[in-house]
Amino acid sequence: MDKLNKKILIEFIIPIFAVLLALIFSDILILIYKESPLKIYKLLLEGTIFNSYGIGQVIFKTTPLIFSGLAVAFAFRTGLFNIGGEGQLYMGTFVTAVIGAYLPDSIPRFLAVILCLLGGFLAGGLIGFIPGFLKAKTGSHEVINTIMLNFIVLAFINYLLVTYFRVPETLHTKEIISNAHLARLSEFIPALDSTYASLAFVIAILTAIVVYVILWKTKFGYELRAVGHNPEAAATAGINVKKCIMMSMAISGGLAGLIGLNYVLGDKYYFEEGFSSGLGFMGIAVALLGRNHPLGVVIAAFLFGVLSEGGLVINAVVPKELVDILQAIVIICVVASTTEVRKILARGK
Amino acid sequence: MAILNGIFSLAFLIQLIRISVPYVLAAMGGVFSERSGVTNIALEGIILNGAFGSVLGTYLTGSPLYGALAGVIAGMLTALLHAVISIRFRADQIISGVAINLLSVGLTKFFLKIFFDSSSNSSRVEGIKVFQILPPGNGFSDMINQLVGNPMIMLTLFIVVFSHIIIFKTVFGLRLRAVGEHPEAADTLGIRVNVMRYVCVIISGALAGLAGVWLGLDQHQFTDGMSNGRGFIAIAAVIFGKWNPYGAALACLLFGGSEALQITLQSSGSNIPTQFIQMIPYLLTMIALAGFIGKSTSPAALGKAYDED
């Protein structure tokens, strides 16, 4: 087998195998619950991708997962594991909402959205930069630091929210100005009426393209991937490894800072504590299943978007937690099979 | 002044110790796993499954003792899964841990629905009995009863000392540290690296499962997500305590103390923002890791799978 075919095989076989294995496991759980797996899957698909309302909701659920997956994938490509998406997204979303709420009403719509976006990206990026900086300067592991920062940021945001920014008697900020609203997709596609899908989805897709271009079509991206591949060799080749680590973590954090865009600019129009419930962690599953490639991330995010919306659809019959279990099994199968498949293919040489 | 009185009281001490118990148990698990070279972020999920196992076991058998056993077994099984993924399949240990944490949240909720028909909490179950050592009456004898009379607290104390002895004073401990520091050398000396790692990860599952038992049986019920970040605090304590049982246990007391302080401040109505006290354990860990207060250096082979072929 030539090298390219082998690579393509790895990239496709592992995710498909993982999803199939996860389905078998969920069959067992559905049977434990004394329901028919076929009936549940039919229900899940009918409620999501086979009707226009379902499609709109899937798009809504897919949008944050694209950002989250891109954030993890971007760091992975530089050999870094950003497990701090939760903290970065809270900081980013909070800043987005605060900027949106305090902008003057007369500001043009386009400018308002750009400022909110930029604020979210920079705020998330700052939180991502800290572990990158610590890794580059002291060598301390980014995984532990990003986990610690998740808790620190959550406590800090709670302080800011409760002390300064909340609407009294609530745990959310005041509403953003109407010019910072992102248009719902239903304004352009009437079939998506009454779904929350917004232009945030378009921004997510554009971001995936930008990430692709940065990583594969620029010198900077080449350097990042070289560091991810082999930091010692990259350093020998004259690449500034420390700079790459700091930049990569900052950009990864910035991408995570946009996870809440959908929610703040397209749905609720304010930041509310506890809105994420693990979206940052889901990015790890998305990136893994998408093989850390922007196109793969978009596809994997869509799959998890279907599952996430589908969980609500089937909840009347089986507990929606089935979907969480399914997602975890997919991750386990992907990581567990990666080394194995590589080994088998290497033997076939 | 009211705050100072609140801190220097027996009630505060009891609260501090009670908060620290699950941290200490899980952290001892973390020390065993990480010393052998396996990163264990799955502690969080293990605690959750341990808590669910203990409550379900007690509910089904009517005996908290069997419940505790079920919790420990649930923890060991969860850890076994982590061991198989990261040792047998040599997968990324951090990703495995993250996945197991997600899995545990999903599984406990799923079975909560099946057994208790609720998405938030189980029925109430009996807890572990506390012995009356001294006749109740004054504050001091109450403290003795609550601390010394509580078998779980005594067990925790015993486990800390025992862990230190095993890791630093026995042949098993020497081998354990060898596979975590230099697996190739250990292998050359005839130590079965991966067998040692399996054993250590499963021990960590039993201990973190016991942390879950404490939570479940102390609160007399399982509530959704009741591990509530304790596994991560335990990991932080392992790092802050430089991968030593005594160090990690002291770190847990420090972290437990900061939490007890938070509660005292909140209930005394002071206007010191408790969120900043909440950050202390995490900030200290980052500072320790960066090397500002005596460098915390992990076992050399931590997180790296070992191929025996």
Side-chain angles (χ1 to χ4, degrees):
Chain A
M1 226 187 298
D2 59 64
K3 210 178 163 197
L4 187 69
N5 272 339
K6 203 177 267 181
K7 197 168 153 38
I8 290 172
L9 207 64
I10 294 185
E11 302 302 325
F12 283 92
I13 278 193
I14 292 174
I16 292 170
F17 168 78
V19 171
L20 286 179
L21 216 62
L23 282 176
I24 293 173
F25 196 84
S26 75
D27 284 352
I28 298 172
L29 287 174
I30 294 172
L31 289 172
I32 291 180
Y33 209 72
K34 299 193 177 70
E35 279 291 342
S36 139
L38 272 180
K39 177 186 155 196
I40 302 294
Y41 296 144
K42 190 161 162 269
L43 203 64
L44 193 149
L45 291 177
E46 278 173 358
T48 53
I49 52 178
F50 287 119
N51 76 67
S52 56
Y53 175 79
I55 291 175
Q57 286 303 91
V58 168
I59 290 175
F60 174 70
K61 294 274 164 68
T62 302
T63 307
L65 293 175
I66 294 177
F67 286 117
S68 184
L70 287 174
V72 177
F74 197 91
F76 257 136
R77 285 285 171 187
T78 318
L80 298 163
F81 195 176
N82 179 8
I83 187 171
E86 205 65 14
Q88 293 147 11
L89 87 88
Y90 265 95
M91 189 56 101
T93 310
F94 182 74
V95 169
T96 300
V98 169
I99 291 178
Y102 291 89
L103 281 173
D105 285 320
S106 56
I107 194 166
R109 176 169 272 240
F110 183 73
L111 191 62
V113 171
I114 291 286
L115 286 175
C116 288
L117 259 168
L118 205 65
F121 184 84
L122 290 176
L126 176 71
I127 303 302
F129 174 77
I130 296 169
F133 175 82
L134 288 171
K135 170 107 176 178
K137 297 296 174 193
T138 72
S140 67
H141 206 301
E142 77 279 4
V143 166
I144 303 297
N145 282 330
T146 48
I147 292 176
M148 297 301 124
L149 274 168
N150 282 343
F151 293 103
I152 294 171
V153 170
L154 254 54
F156 184 59
I157 299 277
N158 176 275
Y159 169 74
L160 290 180
L161 186 66
V162 171
T163 321
Y164 302 105
F165 290 101
R166 73 168 160 187
V167 174
E169 307 299 321
T170 71
L171 274 177
H172 62 74
T173 57
K174 71 176 196 184
E175 270 200 27
I176 60 171
I177 59 167
S178 62
N179 270 358
H181 290 196
L182 280 172
R184 295 264 163 91
L185 288 183
S186 54
E187 287 183 25
F188 313 101
I189 311 167
L192 297 179
D193 194 28
S194 80
T195 70
Y196 300 122
S198 68
L199 282 179
F201 178 68
V202 179
I203 298 175
I205 298 288
L206 290 175
T207 308
I209 296 170
V210 171
V211 165
Y212 173 79
V213 170
I214 291 176
L215 280 176
W216 277 277
K217 302 291 172 195
T218 67
K219 180 166 167 283
F220 171 60
Y222 174 79
E223 290 183 349
L224 291 182
R225 287 184 298 123
V227 171
H229 216 70
N230 185 338
E232 286 81 17
T236 315
I239 293 172
N240 187 340
V241 175
K242 290 188 174 179
K243 188 187 125 206
C244 284
I245 288 174
M246 290 191 278
M247 287 300 290
S248 178
M249 280 304 291
I251 293 174
S252 172
L255 291 168
L258 300 180
I259 293 173
L261 212 59
N262 203 25
Y263 181 87
V264 170
L265 301 191
D267 173 20
K268 295 281 186 199
Y269 306 124
Y270 54 67
F271 169 93
E272 183 163 31
E273 188 162 281
F275 82 95
S276 151
S277 68
L279 281 170
F281 287 107
M282 283 310 303
I284 299 163
V286 173
L288 264 177
L289 196 66
R291 313 302 293 164
N292 299 319
H293 189 287
L295 179 63
V297 164
V298 172
I299 296 172
F302 183 77
L303 179 75
F304 284 133
V306 170
L307 286 178
S308 160
E309 177 64 19
L312 301 178
V313 176
I314 59 171
N315 199 28
V317 191
V318 287
K320 64 175 189 297
E321 284 70 32
L322 189 71
V323 167
D324 300 335
I325 299 171
L326 212 90
Q327 287 167 346
I329 309 253
V330 168
I331 309 180
I332 290 174
C333 294
V334 172
V335 285
S337 56
T338 303
T339 326
E340 241 8 55
V341 172
R342 289 234 169 85
K343 212 162 129 186
I344 292 165
L345 287 177
R347 244 184 243 146
K349 247 191 249 178
Chain B
M1 233 11 246
I3 298 168
L4 284 180
N5 282 333
I7 295 170
F8 293 105
S9 70
L10 292 176
F12 183 83
L13 182 71
I14 291 171
Q15 191 173 37
L16 181 158
I17 289 174
R18 291 176 54 81
I19 291 173
S20 306
V21 166
Y23 294 162
V24 173
L25 288 168
M28 289 308 111
V31 170
F32 272 96
S33 176
E34 303 225 331
R35 274 278 176 174
S36 79
V38 181
T39 311
N40 201 346
I41 292 195
L43 287 180
E44 178 74 11
I46 296 174
I47 295 175
L48 195 62
N49 284 342
F52 187 78
S54 70
V55 170
L56 183 62
T58 311
Y59 174 75
L60 294 178
T61 64
S63 148
L65 205 61
Y66 285 131
L69 194 65
V72 170
I73 291 171
M76 288 166 86
L77 287 175
T78 316
L80 178 65
L81 179 65
H82 181 54
V84 171
I85 298 169
S86 44
I87 301 170
R88 164 66 183 83
F89 289 102
R90 286 178 286 136
D92 188 303
Q93 296 166 6
I94 289 157
I95 297 175
S96 167
V98 171
I100 287 174
N101 291 341
L102 288 174
L103 183 69
S104 308
V105 173
L107 276 179
T108 48
K109 275 190 188 174
F110 188 82
F111 285 107
L112 198 58
K113 274 251 177 74
I114 289 188
F115 285 103
F116 301 101
D117 194 29
S118 156
S119 54
S120 58
N121 57 273
S122 72
S123 332
R124 279 186 72 82
V125 294
E126 207 184 317
I128 288 175
K129 279 220 166 54
V130 175
F131 296 98
Q132 290 280 342
I133 294 175
L134 296 176
N138 60 49
F140 179 74
S141 64
D142 282 352
M143 181 186 78
I144 295 292
N145 285 337
Q146 284 206 42
L147 299 182
V148 185
N150 189 321
M152 282 290 283
I153 292 178
M154 287 300 104
L155 180 66
T156 304
L157 196 62
F158 173 75
I159 285 174
V160 173
V161 178
F162 199 61
S163 300
H164 173 83
I165 293 171
I166 288 186
I167 291 175
F168 292 106
K169 310 281 178 196
T170 66
V171 178
F172 177 83
L174 186 65
R175 292 183 172 163
L176 185 164
R177 284 178 288 138
V179 299
E181 287 294 338
H182 207 314
E184 292 82 10
D187 196 3
T188 317
L189 293 171
I191 300 169
R192 300 285 304 277
V193 174
N194 286 343
V195 173
M196 278 302 297
R197 287 185 172 176
Y198 265 108
V199 172
C200 291
V201 174
I202 292 170
I203 292 176
S204 88
L207 293 173
L210 205 54
V213 171
W214 165 273
L215 292 181
L217 297 187
D218 190 58
Q219 295 181 19
H220 298 274
Q221 65 172 355
F222 179 84
T223 46
D224 173 33
M226 76 187 304
S227 53
N228 200 14
R230 287 184 176 82
F232 294 115
I233 288 260
I235 291 164
V238 171
I239 296 166
F240 196 65
K242 298 184 179 163
W243 286 268
N244 288 324
Y246 290 153
L250 284 176
C252 288
L253 289 176
L254 180 67
F255 296 173
S258 83
E259 211 178 308
L261 180 64
Q262 246 180 81
I263 296 168
T264 310
L265 285 179
Q266 258 157 4
S267 60
S268 71
S270 94
N271 48 17
I272 302 170
T274 54
Q275 292 95 338
F276 291 100
I277 298 166
Q278 212 176 324
M279 293 179 197
I280 290 173
Y282 311 109
L283 279 173
L284 281 178
T285 305
M286 287 179 72
I287 292 168
L289 207 57
F292 296 127
I293 36 175
K295 180 92 180 154
S296 275
T297 314
S298 68
L302 182 61
K304 296 189 192 102
Y306 183 68
D307 192 352
E308 282 183 337
D309 301 339

